[in-house]
Amino acid sequence: MSKQHFNELHLKGVSRAFGKSVALSNLSLTIGNGEFVALLGPSGCGKSTALNCLAGLLPLTAGSIYLDGRRIDTLPPERRDFGMVFQNYALFPHLTVRQNIGFGLKIKKTPKPEIERRVNAAIDLVQLSLHADKHPNQLSGGQQQRVAIARAIVIEPQVVLMDEPLSNLDAKLRHEMRSEIKRLHRELGLTTVYVTHDQEEALSLADRLVVLHDGKVQQIGTPEDVYMNPINSFVADFMGYRNLISMELLAGGSANKYSLTSSGIELTASGIFSGATVGKVLVAIRPEDLLIEKSSKNNIACTVKTIEYQGKDFAVEVSTEQGFVIYVRTPIRLEIGEKTNLTVRPERVMVYPESNN
Amino acid sequence: MSAIDASKSSLNLKSWLAEHGIDRLLFLVIPAFLAMLTFFIYPTIYGTYLSFHPMDKSGALGNYRSFFGDPYMRDSIWNTFRIALPVSVINVFAAIPLAVRLRHRVRGKRTINTLLVIPMSLGTVLIAEGLSAYLAPNGWLNRTLLATGIISQPLQLLHNFWGVMISLLITGFPFAFLLTLSYISGINPKMEEAASTLGATPWQRFRYITFPLLTPGLAITFCLNFVLAFSVFPSANLLGNPAGDSHVLAVAAAQAISSKYDYSMASAISVITGVLELAVVAIVLIMRSRLYSGSTSGGKG
Amino acid sequence: MTIQDTTEVSNSVSRKIFVKSPFGWVIWASVAFFFINLLGVIGTVVVSSFGTEWFDGWLPSGWTMKFYTTAWHDYQVPNLLRVTLQVALAVVLISILVGTPAAYVLARRDFPGKKLLMLSFLLPIMLPPITYGIPLATFIYRLNLGGTLTGVIVANTVPAIPFVILVLSPFIEQIDPKIEAAARMCGATTRQIFIKILTPLIIPGLLAAALLVLVQTVALFELTYLVSGPGSNTLVVALYYAVFASGIRPYQAISAMAVFYMLTTLFILIVALRYVNPTQMVSQARSVDTK
């Protein structure tokens, strides 16, 4: 079904301002054919702006977009040959499922038999054959979502843009549709740019993540890279490093061994991120990386304060002697008030400059 | 025993009523309903009754017989339609392009809207008074047209069909525009964006998306404009030729009262006017209900 | 963020197109043509009211204010203004008092016969005023209210009540009923909910409805024309008679009279537009759709 014939989509310094407020500044990114890229960030970070700029629904205030060296940011959306899945689906309420999906082909004056063949194939692909002649308001949220996806891919676009397509679905359906999108991407190999605020969704779907904050790119990398080595404290916080501790980096640290101290906690980290210097730093540790055990280094003595049972493990809140609260996830059953010890491997201690946030 | 039964059944009745939305809150609607009953429904029924009791005791259908038997009276129906239908159609179709242009926030939109409200609020009487001088052979319009050489003879725009038509365009267009604008603003702008990502040009987006979604609203706009134009009275009397081609139904009814004090005949003409007007509205609304008439916001959420 | 984006998208895109495309220019030109003619219509009235004589020529041969004095006295403008305001204010007051509770019930409750009830409120809007005005006038004369101020007020209330209901119902509908439930959970009685919760929330709607009824009543001609008599004519009806019987008084005086009417209407309109949007002028018509 795919007829893609480009090698790379190149965004060069793409910026967008609304009056004085800058929604997106200087986004540069090269997307390869068939790649699945997720734009990730909290609401207001500029990810939807970026997608709208890419779609042509929003003119750029600066920068340019190239498709294999051909400049496309000056083209109106209807001439970019991109498909888009909207957040609220934006299905045409006066058209049936079949007509909705066939709309783009009809506009392109595709011959009738071909429209029929391709629409039927798309309907089969998203498993909607039973609902092909219904109107959108007769469909459930998940079915509407499938129509929206089919409508965007049936025109065999160069790139598919998805704007938080799963945010209106309930948890179970969201998981289902996530695998569905994954499957479609695998089967069709469509280049996809996917906007979401849900890090789990982004991690599971994308080949590459672009983390945005305040309109600026924070980090671009593979899911593993972003998850394991967030480049700054904002990305760390966003990726679930719940324990953000102000500490002091002691002088004399060398590769693999940096000493940190703060009100009774002594830690060793195996690396530091650029910008972190001797003196005040911010340390980020994921609750999953803390282990309940006594060890010779990176030992934190503490008391259990609250325990939340969460199915496969427990979310535990402990406090140190100095009253510092730390979040831990552990499969070990603890008692409230119990005295225990935590430890963390030096390579899982992230050290960022203090003033980053 | 029976007392318990009684209280039980009254409880059941109460809960049954509550289930169907009937409770004390409904009392709040009574004053408005009584007002309508006394001053709208009853007079209408009374007027209909009166129309079947002619002053000249010519039998139940006497008024209707003399109305339809008299070509001068009968023609008032044609005169009314001849003005009301084209005016409503023109107003609605002229409103569409402007509403499409002004559907989003555009500089000067509020100013245009505000200025358009003025002729609507001034009303037909004042517009008629102004037009009677503006359209006169020596009025500003004819002067301008003569001075620029567009015409060599002044246009006769008063005391005929055109004067009435123009006055209804001036008062009706703003109404049609504002109503169309409010309908078009109700269409989710994401629809057009979606169409554009599917390759639709601005004209195709209007043709296949906006216009079909707007049609139900246009039907209502047409109906309400038609209602205004159908009861054309001050402009027909002041700008038209109320004895000739502007002898519309409203003029005929008013004349029955003012010249003959024949309330019975006037009521009969009112009934005819109402029935014809509602018939047109009903036809348009039936056609509308055959169209798609769901939500224009599109999809869930 | 997404919502903000949407409006901004539309905003910037359309702003661009409006000026650039030839289609945009055609529309601008048509709008300008409409307004030039409108200005001509209104300008003719104003200029003629200040003219000594205006038979042939672009402008009157001389200027004077004397016809304003003539019109003021001959048409008893002070009296007309008083009647017009009395009628308008009474109609606003009655229609708000009667219409608001009904609007609330229609917005919140579903009950058997609701559609029929809605129809009785819709018909006065869907029917030309002269159609029901004639039977109504006959009825009002039979009640011996013909030609009285009360009669005029009653006649004008008939379209005003449905107007208020149709403007307010959608307004009340969009107030989340959970707010009332929350107040009830906090121990508020029905009366307290109405006074302390709903009234403050619907005040903008009430204001809009009141101003819209005011504008409408001042301009509504047919119903007043059918029931009023000497002493209970409103400005617009007096203007109609003045124009209809032109020849009795100098046309400049009629124009001056028209200017008085225009000033009154525009004054009310300017006040109204401070609180309501121009598109709200047709909001009652828009809600006809809800049936």
Side-chain angles (χ1 to χ4, degrees):
Chain A
M1 196 153 158
S2 165
K3 51 135 200 199
Q4 298 189 27
H5 39 66
F6 76 97
N7 291 318
E8 55 175 43
L9 174 66
H10 184 51
L11 284 77
K12 199 168 150 192
V14 171
S15 305
R16 172 69 206 187
F18 297 109
K20 277 186 184 143
S21 82
V22 178
L24 180 68
S25 83
N26 208 12
L27 169 65
S28 291
L29 181 67
T30 304
I31 299 169
N33 194 345
E35 201 178 1
F36 196 121
V37 172
L39 304 182
L40 178 66
S43 73
C45 72
K47 57 190 192 298
S48 289
T49 307
L51 201 73
N52 282 323
C53 286
L54 203 47
L57 297 170
L58 204 55
L60 312 184
T61 29
S64 42
I65 304 172
Y66 297 90
L67 200 63
D68 277 350
R70 188 168 61 100
R71 188 164 176 182
I72 58 162
D73 58 282
T74 46
L75 295 177
E78 63 266 24
R79 290 181 49 204
R80 291 198 187 184
D81 198 17
F82 286 6
M84 182 151 173
V85 179
F86 289 79
Q87 186 173 16
N88 296 322
Y89 321 138
L91 300 180
F92 307 126
H94 59 302
L95 303 179
T96 63
V97 167
R98 190 181 289 284
Q99 289 167 329
N100 260 287
I101 297 175
F103 184 82
L105 295 174
K106 185 176 143 197
I107 289 296
K108 292 202 173 95
K109 306 225 159 47
T110 314
K112 279 232 170 75
E114 193 187 339
I115 295 185
E116 177 134 357
R117 185 175 56 75
R118 282 166 70 176
V119 168
N120 282 335
I123 288 174
D124 287 341
L125 194 67
V126 294
Q127 296 152 14
L128 278 175
S129 356
L130 291 175
H131 308 284
D133 294 308
K134 289 186 180 169
H135 278 92
N137 57 4
Q138 295 167 286
L139 302 179
S140 71
Q143 290 164 340
Q144 292 189 31
Q145 181 57 265
R146 286 163 198 270
V147 179
I149 293 174
R151 187 178 66 176
I153 61 177
V154 77
I155 56 172
E156 297 178 5
Q158 307 262 25
V159 180
V160 182
L161 309 172
M162 298 195 177
D163 189 4
E164 307 224 17
L166 306 183
S167 59
N168 284 343
L169 303 176
D170 59 46
K172 185 170 173 288
L173 215 52
R174 200 153 53 221
H175 274 89
E176 233 173 272
M177 284 309 296
R178 200 205 276 171
S179 341
E180 188 84 11
I181 290 173
K182 189 93 187 159
R183 174 178 72 86
L184 288 172
H185 179 249
R186 204 175 46 235
E187 283 177 17
L188 305 175
L190 287 167
T191 312
T192 307
V193 181
Y194 188 102
V195 159
T196 180
H197 62 266
D198 182 335
Q199 39 124 333
E200 204 186 310
E201 209 172 286
L203 289 171
S204 71
L205 283 170
D207 299 325
R208 215 146 45 104
L209 301 186
V210 179
V211 185
L212 290 157
H213 176 53
D214 273 346
K216 294 185 199 74
V217 174
Q218 305 294 310
Q219 186 170 5
I220 299 178
T222 63
E224 292 81 0
D225 198 18
V226 175
Y227 187 64
M228 296 306 281
N229 291 299
I231 202 155
N232 61 34
S233 56
F234 167 77
V235 180
D237 189 20
F238 192 71
M239 297 311 292
Y241 289 67
R242 261 190 100 188
N243 299 303
L244 291 169
I245 314 165
S246 281
M247 296 189 87
E248 194 158 339
L249 177 62
L250 299 176
S254 64
N256 291 330
K257 201 166 188 310
Y258 295 89
S259 299
L260 298 137
T261 179
S262 165
S263 49
I265 306 175
E266 309 284 337
L267 291 176
T268 308
S270 59
I272 56 173
F273 282 89
S274 72
T277 49
V278 170
K280 289 216 175 295
V281 291
L282 200 62
V283 169
I285 303 170
R286 231 172 22 190
E288 293 87 333
D289 289 334
L290 285 158
L291 306 169
I292 305 276
E293 61 180 56
K294 201 171 163 96
S295 87
S296 53
K297 61 177 180 181
N298 281 359
N299 191 53
I300 306 166
C302 56
T303 312
V304 176
K305 288 288 171 199
T306 67
I307 301 173
E308 255 179 64
Y309 177 60
Q310 297 204 330
K312 64 180 198 297
D313 58 7
F314 299 90
V316 182
E317 225 178 286
V318 301
S319 84
T320 63
E321 264 167 59
Q322 284 75 19
F324 202 87
V325 178
I326 297 175
Y327 303 95
V328 191
R329 283 186 85 102
T330 173
I332 300 167
R333 181 179 288 274
L334 298 162
E335 297 293 326
I336 290 177
E338 187 182 335
K339 295 222 185 294
T340 184
N341 288 285
L342 298 178
T343 187
V344 58
R345 302 208 319 274
E347 64 269 27
R348 298 307 305 140
V349 178
M350 306 289 146
V351 183
Y352 302 110
E354 161 93 312
S355 57
N356 191 277
N357 240 344
Chain B
M1 197 57 179
S2 63
I4 293 170
D5 274 353
S7 79
K8 206 173 167 186
S9 72
S10 85
L11 199 70
N12 281 339
L13 181 67
K14 225 175 169 179
S15 72
W16 182 87
L17 288 174
E19 204 128 289
H20 289 75
I22 301 168
D23 55 20
R24 285 200 325 218
L25 203 65
L26 285 198
F27 284 120
L28 291 175
V29 90
I30 287 177
F33 179 65
L34 281 183
M36 285 301 113
L37 192 67
T38 320
F39 296 111
F40 180 72
I41 299 171
Y42 172 72
T44 308
I45 294 170
Y46 171 72
T48 312
Y49 163 86
L50 200 64
S51 75
F52 290 107
H53 291 78
M55 282 214 313
D56 57 8
K57 308 264 181 291
S58 57
L61 291 173
N63 282 327
Y64 294 94
R65 217 177 289 130
S66 63
F67 180 89
F68 287 105
D70 179 353
Y72 177 63
M73 294 300 266
R74 200 171 53 213
D75 277 353
S76 65
I77 295 180
W78 162 239
N79 288 336
T80 311
F81 273 98
R82 200 169 66 116
I83 292 169
L85 271 182
V87 155
S88 312
V89 171
I90 292 172
N91 281 339
V92 170
F93 280 93
I96 298 172
L98 187 61
V100 167
R101 278 292 147 189
L102 293 182
R103 61 186 295 192
H104 307 302
R105 276 185 294 158
V106 177
R107 230 170 285 158
K109 175 179 176 175
R110 168 108 194 179
T111 317
I112 290 182
N113 288 355
T114 307
L115 288 174
L116 280 175
V117 170
I118 292 175
M120 234 172 88
S121 317
L122 287 178
T124 43
V125 177
L126 187 107
I127 295 296
E129 142 74 358
L131 279 175
S132 64
Y134 180 69
L135 300 180
N138 59 354
W140 281 351
L141 181 70
N142 272 315
R143 270 178 190 288
T144 310
L145 293 177
L146 285 170
T148 50
I150 296 172
I151 52 169
S152 53
Q153 286 292 311
L155 295 174
Q156 284 300 326
L157 298 171
L158 286 181
H159 309 298
N160 60 25
F161 171 81
W162 294 107
V164 187
M165 190 82 172
I166 292 170
S167 100
L168 288 174
L169 287 175
I170 290 186
T171 48
F173 170 73
F175 178 80
F177 163 71
L178 289 172
L179 199 52
T180 309
L181 184 66
S182 87
Y183 277 109
I184 213 167
S185 315
I187 298 175
N188 184 349
K190 285 276 167 203
M191 294 294 133
E192 274 209 49
E193 292 187 5
S196 77
T197 63
L198 293 168
T201 60
W203 165 250
Q204 287 173 321
R205 301 201 283 265
F206 174 75
R207 166 75 185 77
Y208 295 113
I209 305 299
T210 309
F211 187 72
L213 291 176
L214 188 60
T215 315
L218 290 180
I220 295 284
T221 309
F222 171 85
C223 283
L224 291 165
N225 226 280
F226 186 74
V227 172
L228 292 181
F230 205 71
S231 63
V232 45
F233 176 70
S235 37
N237 256 338
L238 300 178
L239 295 171
N241 173 13
D245 63 4
S246 307
H247 184 254
V248 293
L249 285 162
V251 171
Q255 277 175 356
I257 296 180
S258 57
S259 59
K260 293 183 229 148
Y261 295 99
D262 189 345
Y263 282 91
S264 171
M265 185 65 191
S267 296
I269 301 175
S270 298
V271 169
I272 294 168
T273 315
V275 167
L276 289 173
E277 190 262 331
L278 287 180
V280 171
V281 169
I283 290 170
V284 175
L285 290 183
I286 286 168
M287 275 160 52
R288 174 182 185 263
S289 70
R290 290 177 156 212
L291 289 165
Y292 154 83
S293 62
S295 133
T296 49
S297 56
K300 277 188 177 174
Chain C
M1 140 111 199
T2 330
I3 291 164
Q4 179 213 330
D5 273 359
T6 316
T7 53
E8 296 288 354
V9 174
S10 327
N11 186 2
S12 48
V13 171
S14 60
R15 197 167 274 183
K16 228 175 172 179
I17 295 166
F18 199 100
V19 197
K20 280 187 182 163
S21 81
F23 180 51
W25 282 111
V26 171
I27 290 172
W28 267 125
S30 316
V31 171
F33 179 75
F34 183 87
F35 282 128
I36 287 169
N37 280 290
L38 181 64
L39 198 68
V41 172
I42 294 171
T44 304
V45 176
V46 176
V47 168
S48 122
S49 72
F50 287 109
T52 46
E53 263 185 350
W54 188 9
F55 292 118
D56 206 25
W58 287 93
L59 290 172
S61 44
W63 303 97
T64 174
M65 286 282 288
K66 74 172 180 195
F67 293 105
Y68 279 89
T69 329
T70 318
W72 185 263
H73 293 296
D74 286 12
Y75 292 118
Q76 296 181 309
V77 173
N79 202 30
L80 291 172
L81 276 172
R82 189 178 50 77
V83 172
T84 306
L85 286 182
Q86 274 175 339
V87 170
L89 291 178
V91 168
V92 168
L93 200 68
I94 295 170
S95 60
I96 291 281
L97 283 178
V98 174
T100 312
Y104 176 79
V105 175
L106 291 171
R108 283 283 192 261
R109 282 287 195 286
D110 241 336
F111 49 88
K114 181 178 173 181
K115 287 221 160 115
L116 219 59
L117 192 65
M118 256 336 253
L119 192 67
S120 80
F121 293 130
L122 278 172
L123 273 177
I125 298 217
M126 292 301 283
L127 276 174
I130 205 140
T131 328
Y132 65 88
I134 287 173
L136 176 64
T138 318
F139 178 61
I140 285 175
Y141 271 97
R142 275 217 331 171
L143 294 175
N144 286 323
L145 291 173
T148 66
L149 202 61
T150 318
V152 174
I153 292 172
V154 166
N156 281 291
T157 313
V158 173
I161 291 174
F163 193 98
V164 167
I165 292 176
L166 291 179
V167 169
L168 276 182
S169 266
F171 193 88
I172 295 172
E173 261 168 32
Q174 48 119 26
I175 298 174
D176 191 348
K178 289 198 190 84
I179 292 177
E180 288 162 52
R184 217 174 277 278
M185 294 310 289
C186 295
T189 62
T190 304
R191 177 189 296 270
Q192 286 172 320
I193 288 174
F194 267 91
I195 295 170
K196 297 228 166 104
I197 308 289
L198 285 173
T199 312
L201 284 175
I202 61 169
I203 275 184
L206 284 178
L207 192 66
L211 287 166
L212 294 173
V213 168
L214 191 67
V215 172
Q216 184 196 248
T217 308
V218 170
L220 189 63
F221 166 74
E222 282 89 348
L223 292 177
T224 312
Y225 169 76
L226 288 169
V227 295
S228 70
S232 63
N233 284 338
T234 57
L235 259 175
V236 67
V237 173
L239 176 65
Y240 173 81
Y241 281 125
V243 181
F244 195 62
S246 59
I248 296 176
R249 293 204 169 75
Y251 64 86
Q252 300 96 321
I254 301 171
S255 296
M257 168 72 182
V259 172
F260 282 129
Y261 167 75
M262 210 148 63
L263 289 175
T264 314
T265 314
L266 290 181
F267 174 74
I268 295 172
L269 190 64
I270 288 165
V271 173
L273 286 176
R274 287 184 70 94
Y275 300 97
V276 302
N277 201 296
T279 35
Q280 276 181 285
M281 292 282 177
V282 294
S283 53
Q284 106 286 356
R286 174 86 155 84
S287 51
V288 165
D289 234 353
T290 54
K291 76 172 180 179

